[in-house]
Structure formats: C-alpha cells, structure tokens
Amino acid sequence: MGYDPQRYYTGRGPLEAASIGIGLTEDDIAFRCNLITEKDGLLADYSSGHITSEEARILIEAVDKDLVNSCRFHAGVSYRHLLVMKKR
C-alpha cells in the first residue's frame, strides 16, 4: 500500500483480527477498515450511519468476492472490519 509495514505502524488491524477470531500468520498484514458514508466526494459519516452488522456483512462479502487472492476482507461489527494482505 505504499509503505513498509515492518517499519511503519499499520494501526489496530491485529487487534481487530483477534476480536473477530481471525488468525494471522507471519506473512499477513492486517488493517482495520471502516465502512463510511460519502456524499459529493466528501466523508459525510465515519460509521456509515452506524450500519448494522448484518447489512455490513453483505457489503463486505460483496467487496471480498470481487478482489484477487492477495487480500481478504472480513466482516466485523457494525462499520468496523478487517483487511488482511499477504506480504510479498
């Protein structure tokens, strides 16, 4: 994603993975990601209107289905989710 995750802090991804029961390997890089609301090209809401977990799961599964095998999206709770990428 443009920077070395071994050198720079990647955020709370590993904690998010643990909280939803996703095991990580040494080759995984985990990023927390949020569903948001965008309006006219601007961030309108950081939590997608506090989307329900059920609604969010449908969206996250759709996004995950369309991606290549080098990364996976995992549904979490409400607007909080997980992206796991393999180190290259």
Side-chain angles (χ1 to χ4, degrees), residues 3-80:
Y3 59 92
D4 182 355
Q6 291 183 340
R7 185 171 176 194
Y8 299 100
Y9 177 63
T10 61
R12 301 183 331 219
L15 296 175
E16 193 71 28
S19 75
I20 61 175
I22 302 297
L24 300 174
T25 69
E26 287 185 21
D27 292 335
D28 290 334
I29 306 166
F31 297 93
R32 168 145 164 218
C33 54
N34 289 2
L35 290 177
I36 57 106
T37 302
E38 175 269 332
K39 185 174 182 180
D40 299 324
L42 298 173
L43 176 69
D45 181 53
Y46 72 94
S47 67
S48 196
H50 289 285
I51 191 169
T52 68
S53 296
E54 295 79 23
E55 293 170 317
R57 179 173 304 281
I58 293 167
L59 295 173
I60 292 296
E61 288 176 355
V63 169
D64 185 61
K65 181 180 175 184
D66 288 339
L67 295 177
V68 295
N69 293 333
S70 62
C71 62
R72 296 288 319 265
F73 280 90
H74 300 274
V77 177
S78 184
Y79 62 92
R80 299 173 299 273

